[in-house]
Amino acid sequence: MSAEFGGRKGSSSASAVGPRQQMFSLLMGCYAAQCIAVAADLRIADHLHEAPQRPSDLAHDTRCDARALHRLLRALAGIGVFHERDDGSFELTAAGALLRSDVPGSLQPIARLIGSDLQWPTLGKLSHTVRTGEPAFEHVFGMSMWEYLATHPDAHALFQASMSAFSTAEVRAILDHYDFSDAITVVDVAGGQGTLLAAIVDKYPHVEGILFEQPEVTREARDQFVANGLGHRCRAIAGDMFSTIPSGADCYIMKSVLHDWDDERATQLLRTCRDAMVDRATLLIITRVVRPANEPDLSKFQDLNMLINLNGAERTADEFRELLGNADLHLDEIIATPSPLSILVCTSAASGRPS
């Protein structure tokens, strides 16, 4: 097995990999993901950030079996997460450093979420979703993901930390590729703890921000706004986004929101937002846009993640145009960013400009 997975010594290009070896490497990807998740959960990168350590020392600090931990580290060194030195100690690589908890853009909570009891079991039931079209999450846990998070504080905290980790890495790309200088009031719909909104308001001193979220999230967001010195220009309002959204703003944002919902619920949400928009108001849908057929795209796997957990979907540009049209909205422009997300600039169908 190891010979086929590792390939022939001296192989230097993807073209040298045969279809059998290529397929086997893909199959082993589940092991890589779980190994990374375990290393993140054990905070291995935090332990290694000052100096290389031997597995026996790491095992003592993390309360693990030394031999088993060495085998985990060896496997991860083989895919570039760590590096094994000649003296048998391990050190961080640039990729592995992203698993530290104290660095900008840390992927630690995301790795922990992917390998957690919240997400991993549902991936194992992908076949249920493919056969029935129903979310595997409800099949595994007997309730929706939102209901589960509402009753499991630890899972909710990990989920929110993961969403914040995504936002931190994406906010800079958004601010670098969209000019908010014409906005006066920005409403961030389901904007989590307000990371993006705070960054916009901080960069544009004339802008006032409104975060529209669930009650338990708005309480946390208000504290964050105050801590960042933005409490006088950022408000957090609680409500049900499917019923009503604060009206009268000239810019609305939905970042990584629509992919949580199927077409029917996504259309309902867009219509609620359309009803709140004044003439010439802009809606920015910040989201993944699935690439055309046969093009490599992690969004196509993220689409399956949304399907098995929430019955949601990542969408192509054409699917977004249809969805928006059903809500009397028009897609004016798609702005690509260096992050996985694009910015879809939308206006009401009556005022929309041709793409």
Side-chain angles (χ1 to χ4, degrees):
M1 178 181 287
S2 59
E4 290 197 53
F5 182 48
R8 294 178 179 175
K9 187 175 181 179
S11 178
S12 60
S13 68
S15 61
V17 176
R20 179 181 175 84
Q21 186 173 338
Q22 177 190 13
M23 177 56 70
F24 195 77
S25 294
L26 291 171
L27 288 169
M28 295 298 287
C30 64
Y31 285 86
Q34 189 59 243
C35 286
I36 292 170
V38 171
D41 204 43
L42 293 173
R43 308 300 204 274
I44 297 296
D46 288 344
H47 288 285
L48 292 179
H49 82 276
E50 290 186 354
Q53 290 193 41
R54 294 181 179 276
S56 56
D57 296 327
L58 280 172
H60 178 270
D61 293 340
T62 59
R63 298 182 180 180
C64 290
D65 178 84
R67 188 162 182 263
L69 181 59
H70 175 261
R71 293 162 74 171
L72 176 76
L73 296 171
R74 180 178 62 185
L76 289 173
I79 58 174
V81 178
F82 303 121
H83 174 73
E84 186 171 4
R85 294 155 54 99
D86 291 340
D87 63 1
S89 65
F90 286 82
E91 62 186 355
L92 283 179
T93 63
L98 291 171
L99 297 179
R100 287 176 55 186
S101 61
D102 58 348
V103 295
S106 170
L107 298 178
Q108 187 195 82
I110 297 170
R112 291 177 58 219
L113 176 67
I114 289 173
S116 72
D117 291 340
L118 178 66
Q119 293 249 290
W120 198 255
T122 61
L123 180 58
K125 293 296 182 181
L126 173 61
S127 61
H128 173 82
T129 294
V130 173
R131 293 176 186 277
T132 66
E134 300 170 354
F137 194 98
E138 296 185 13
H139 175 69
V140 173
F141 293 101
M143 64 184 78
S144 73
M145 185 172 175
W146 302 124
E147 291 170 329
Y148 185 92
L149 292 175
T151 55
H152 292 75
D154 289 345
H156 180 266
L158 178 57
F159 180 81
Q160 288 296 334
S162 298
M163 297 306 101
S164 295
F166 277 118
S167 292
T168 300
E170 296 158 353
V171 163
R172 178 48 53 193
I174 295 166
L175 291 180
D176 286 347
H177 287 77
Y178 189 83
D179 185 359
F180 288 89
S181 58
D182 290 337
I184 297 173
T185 304
V186 176
V187 175
D188 192 352
V189 180
Q193 296 179 344
T195 302
L196 173 59
L197 185 64
I200 294 169
V201 171
D202 185 54
K203 182 175 180 178
Y204 297 90
H206 67 283
V207 171
E208 292 191 356
I210 298 174
L211 178 73
F212 190 65
E213 255 290 2
Q214 298 177 20
E216 62 273 16
V217 181
T218 58
R219 288 190 289 269
E220 298 171 359
R222 290 188 190 104
D223 292 340
Q224 290 295 322
F225 293 149
V226 172
N228 293 333
L230 299 173
H232 61 298
R233 289 197 293 125
C234 284
R235 292 183 291 150
I237 300 176
D240 177 8
M241 63 184 179
F242 288 99
S243 298
T244 183
I245 290 173
S247 62
D250 50 357
C251 181
Y252 291 82
I253 296 173
M254 290 183 186
K255 176 181 174 293
S256 301
V257 174
L258 290 181
H259 72 170
D260 289 343
W261 308 99
D262 62 18
D263 286 353
E264 181 179 356
R265 292 286 275 169
T267 301
Q268 181 185 351
L269 176 55
L270 288 170
R271 285 174 178 162
T272 304
C273 189
R274 171 67 184 89
D275 290 342
M277 294 168 63
V278 297
D279 291 342
R280 304 306 298 176
T282 299
L283 167 63
L284 304 179
I285 300 174
I286 303 172
T287 185
R288 292 173 180 263
V289 178
V290 176
R291 294 176 185 172
N294 301 314
E295 290 190 18
D297 185 4
L298 292 178
S299 295
K300 296 172 182 178
F301 290 98
Q302 176 66 5
D303 175 54
L304 290 172
N305 177 54
M306 302 313 298
L307 178 60
I308 64 177
N309 286 299
L310 292 166
N311 198 28
E314 305 292 354
R315 296 173 172 91
T316 65
D318 287 342
E319 288 170 335
F320 273 115
R321 289 189 181 94
E322 181 177 358
L323 197 69
L324 289 160
N326 292 336
D328 195 29
L329 289 162
H330 183 272
L331 177 58
D332 294 351
E333 182 182 9
I334 298 178
I335 303 172
T337 78
S339 79
L341 305 183
S342 295
I343 304 169
L344 280 61
V345 183
C346 312
T347 52
S348 68
S351 61
R353 299 176 296 277
S355 302

